[in-house]
Amino acid sequence: MPEISDRLRNLPPYFFALIGQRMREMQERGLDIVRLDIGNPDMPPPPHVVQTLAESVRNSGKHGYSGYQGTPAFRQAVARYYQRRFGVDLDPDTEVLPLIGSKEGIVNMSLAYLDAGDISLVPDISYPSYATGARLAGAAVYWLPTVASNYYLPEIDVIPDDIASRAKVLWVNYPNNPTGATADIGFYNKLTRFCLKNDILLLSDNPYVDVTFDGYQACSALSAENAKACTVEFVSFSKTFNMAGWRLGAAVGNAAALRTLLQVKSNVDSGHFQAIYDAGIAALDHTPQSWINERNAVYRRRRDRILEALPEIGLVADKPKGTLYIWAHATQIASQEYIERALTEAHVALAPGEAYGKGGKNYIRLSVGVSDDRLDQALGQLKSWYTSAYRSG
Ligand SMILES: Cc1ncc(COP(=O)(O)O)c(C=O)c1O
């Protein structure tokens, strides 16, 4: 076989693909591993979404290509959602672009804007695809430290001028994976001013905007002053509507940036299956807020169950106001050792914080995306293991 490309050789393997391989090997040995490491919603989408898909699939007119910009009806539904949810007006023809899952758009946006010598500003502790996109494009990543003492918000004021002048994009994500941190509109106003001043595209990845607890309402970066002049936001159906496997999302905001993204996408993919767009419209237009609230109440209950158990399993964490995650660290041993022993001795998989950047090194991410029974089982196994390993005697 020929040599693989330098582009790929320079890319670290995707952490969750590696751990998935290890899980399969352990399962083949007959071990039952409870997975608290992945943020994969365990509950189904709203029933009307599934019904719409089933009806649409049976329609013989829905099986052809649906266009590089998806269907107008889908784009209009996304625009209606932004107006209803955030009071933000979007032109469905120029300010909404469907994606095959937001991850696809995130990586392609970097390919659309970055070359060798360019800089992507990426929070250290963030979803890996922001840095991956920059690396695939041959660009450099400038890491913005995000630390607990600053609520996991990057300090924009300390970015050196020569870095700001070479940077083309800035990534943020609140409610945040993996830390659970949140941001208010004042933060986005500040980012918008910084990006407009330095001619930087602000990229707000917002998949957890509707996964929030305790009365907290997350906002859109597009609600900031002058946001559309420099901002694109990534919308995902994966977590909002429990549709992770359906691969549906959208990029919304600055029209020029969306045209550029479309230039990449129209050369790479040919849009989604129309039935998926139809189901997406049903999700956006006909999912009552009560469905979202009830789903979030299940996650909140699981979050609280984990938080209550933490002292008995040697972990500490803050209470997150959103996302599927608890960002914890071990109190008695190094977090890496904790994760390894939890997997091999308690048969519970946890995500290492360093998968999200160097700043995450001493942290462990736990997910609430597992059924109540499996969560109880995982916490029980962790308690027995931790008690016998570290607390007996
Ligand atoms: C912060 C963040 N962005 C993007 C994604 C990708 O979502 P999608 O399923 O829409 O590709 C995820 C998935 O976990 C995520 O946590």
Side-chain angles (χ1 to χ4, degrees):
M1 288 296 287
E3 283 287 302
I4 66 168
S5 68
D6 290 344
R7 189 180 311 112
L8 199 56
R9 209 188 342 266
N10 293 335
L11 204 64
Y14 195 63
F15 168 76
F16 287 102
L18 277 186
I19 198 168
Q21 173 63 24
R22 188 156 177 215
M23 293 299 122
R24 274 192 296 283
E25 285 161 15
M26 293 181 86
Q27 279 154 357
E28 274 161 26
R29 284 193 278 127
L31 297 172
D32 173 27
I33 308 294
V34 189
R35 299 201 61 176
L36 300 190
D37 57 319
I38 41 173
N40 192 1
D42 61 304
M43 293 177 277
H48 62 274
V49 174
V50 177
Q51 198 185 328
T52 303
L53 178 79
E55 282 162 15
S56 198
V57 163
R58 284 193 213 100
N59 182 335
S60 60
K62 299 267 180 179
H63 294 263
Y65 294 116
S66 44
Y68 299 108
Q69 287 174 277
T71 61
F74 177 77
R75 297 196 305 271
Q76 286 155 13
V78 173
R80 279 195 294 279
Y81 164 78
Y82 259 75
Q83 173 48 238
R84 201 171 57 237
R85 176 72 176 78
F86 307 112
V88 169
D89 286 322
L90 294 173
D91 177 340
D93 291 331
T94 58
E95 295 176 336
V96 179
L97 181 63
L99 301 173
I100 306 177
S102 61
K103 187 177 182 183
E104 174 263 296
I106 288 166
V107 173
N108 279 329
M109 192 58 114
S110 289
L111 297 180
Y113 276 95
L114 301 175
D115 285 312
D118 293 333
I119 287 180
S120 177
L121 300 172
V122 180
D124 177 8
I125 307 185
S126 59
Y127 184 63
S129 299
Y130 316 143
T132 300
R135 289 190 178 118
L136 281 175
V141 172
Y142 184 84
W143 296 103
L144 304 174
T146 54
V147 291
S149 57
N150 199 41
Y151 311 100
Y152 296 107
L153 301 171
E155 294 250 28
I156 298 304
D157 306 332
V158 302
I159 298 173
D161 287 346
D162 62 318
I163 297 294
S165 64
R166 277 172 59 208
K168 284 176 132 179
V169 297
L170 162 60
W171 289 97
V172 288
N173 155 234
Y174 298 97
N176 182 259
N177 174 16
T179 64
T182 54
D184 61 17
I185 197 65
F187 174 72
Y188 291 114
N189 281 332
K190 190 171 170 182
L191 293 184
T192 304
R193 283 195 296 272
F194 169 81
C195 287
L196 285 172
K197 179 170 160 232
N198 292 289
D199 201 17
I200 291 172
L201 179 59
L202 175 59
L203 299 169
S204 163
D205 179 25
N206 212 353
Y208 301 99
V209 68
D210 289 313
V211 183
T212 56
F213 317 122
D214 308 323
Y216 173 71
Q217 282 256 338
C219 62
S220 162
L222 289 174
S223 298
E225 283 158 35
N226 301 321
K228 267 201 228 167
C230 64
T231 306
V232 167
E233 190 153 78
F234 291 84
V235 178
S236 172
F237 287 61
S238 299
K239 313 293 156 75
T240 298
F241 301 110
N242 298 348
M243 292 167 70
W246 299 50
R247 312 311 303 131
L248 186 60
V252 299
N254 184 276
L258 296 188
R259 264 199 315 277
T260 314
L261 177 58
L262 177 61
Q263 215 178 319
V264 176
K265 281 177 60 57
S266 56
N267 278 289
V268 173
D269 71 66
S270 301
H272 227 311
F273 178 25
Q274 265 186 67
I276 300 274
Y277 290 132
D278 290 346
I281 297 168
L284 290 166
D285 281 349
H286 301 299
T287 303
Q289 187 58 37
S290 57
W291 183 91
I292 298 210
N293 294 347
E294 282 161 28
R295 188 273 318 278
N296 289 349
V298 174
Y299 288 149
R300 194 203 57 225
R301 209 178 52 235
R302 292 177 187 166
R303 175 202 69 178
D304 291 345
R305 226 179 260 185
I306 294 176
L307 291 173
E308 269 163 40
L310 290 186
E312 289 177 79
I313 59 174
L315 297 175
V316 285
D318 289 333
K319 185 192 276 194
K321 285 191 277 188
T323 76
L324 302 184
Y325 313 111
I326 289 167
W327 186 237
H329 61 90
T331 52
Q332 274 187 295
I333 51 169
S335 290
Q336 290 97 328
E337 181 187 345
Y338 189 102
I339 291 164
E340 185 58 28
R341 293 192 65 178
L343 180 62
T344 53
E345 296 172 38
H347 299 158
V348 175
L350 305 167
E354 59 196 318
Y356 303 91
K358 285 202 182 82
K361 190 158 178 260
N362 291 318
Y363 288 87
I364 299 172
R365 194 195 74 169
L366 296 89
S367 164
V368 298
V370 286
S371 70
D372 292 355
D373 289 354
R374 290 291 271 175
L375 180 59
D376 285 345
Q377 182 188 340
L379 294 176
Q381 287 170 198
L382 286 171
K383 277 182 203 168
S384 312
W385 156 69
Y386 192 77
T387 307
S388 67
Y390 296 103
R391 301 183 100 195
S392 53

